[in-house]
Amino acid sequence: MDRKIRVVVAKPGLDGHDRGAKVIARAFRDAGMEVIYTGLRQTPEQIVATAIQEDADAIGISILSGAHEYCFKAIIDLLKEKHAEDIIVFGGGVIPETDYPTLLSFGAGAIFGPGTPTTETIEWLEKAVAEKRAKEA
């Protein structure tokens, strides 16, 4: 790839636990990616604005609060509204597997549950960004 992958790691909503987000952010950075961590309690609007401003390839949503359907849909809808739907959205955290199909139907690229090896997430993101960039070329 010509430039490093730029990924925003986001913690939407009232969720105050960010250990998982920090672990995955560090893993992405150690894999050579540029990581922008939004910090806690971000709104979908703040997350999308950060991703656009930082020219991100992807947004990784870490969520434990149970508001995953609202947050994913709001972020994906805002990206479309801002003509930035080329930004890949994926996520993880404590999300029931039965809700994965709904999040994927909104436009999420992948959902990674608790215990997913960071290497699996890194490999998926590298492939997804390579495919995105190939389409843009």
Side-chain angles (χ1 to χ4, degrees):
M1 292 191 194
D2 297 325
R3 67 177 177 93
K4 289 183 176 185
I5 293 172
R6 293 180 61 86
V7 59
V8 170
V9 175
K11 288 293 299 178
L14 299 176
D15 185 358
H17 186 284
D18 65 350
R19 184 173 182 202
K22 289 179 177 177
V23 167
I24 198 66
R26 173 96 187 224
F28 288 152
R29 189 185 72 211
D30 290 350
M33 299 179 197
E34 293 181 21
V35 178
I36 301 93
Y37 174 57
T38 64
L40 293 169
R41 299 179 182 93
Q42 298 294 296
T43 66
E45 292 80 6
Q46 290 170 315
I47 293 166
V48 168
T50 298
I52 292 169
Q53 181 179 20
E54 294 290 342
D55 192 26
D57 294 296
I59 299 170
I61 302 169
S62 173
I63 193 158
L64 307 170
S65 66
H68 46 275
E69 287 187 22
Y70 168 79
C71 291
F72 273 81
K73 184 164 182 10
I75 289 166
I76 291 166
D77 287 348
L78 283 165
L79 288 170
K80 290 175 184 172
E81 181 182 307
K82 305 279 185 190
H83 306 288
E85 58 269 10
D86 62 319
I87 297 175
I88 299 163
V89 177
F90 66 100
V94 181
I95 300 171
E97 285 185 40
T98 55
D99 292 344
Y100 290 10
T102 300
L103 302 179
L104 296 173
S105 76
F106 293 157
I111 307 298
F112 300 95
T116 301
T118 56
T119 53
E120 184 179 322
T121 308
I122 291 164
E123 289 171 7
W124 177 85
L125 184 55
E126 288 173 339
K127 181 179 177 188
V129 171
E131 290 172 0
K132 172 188 110 132
R133 290 180 179 177
K135 289 178 187 174
E136 293 172 349

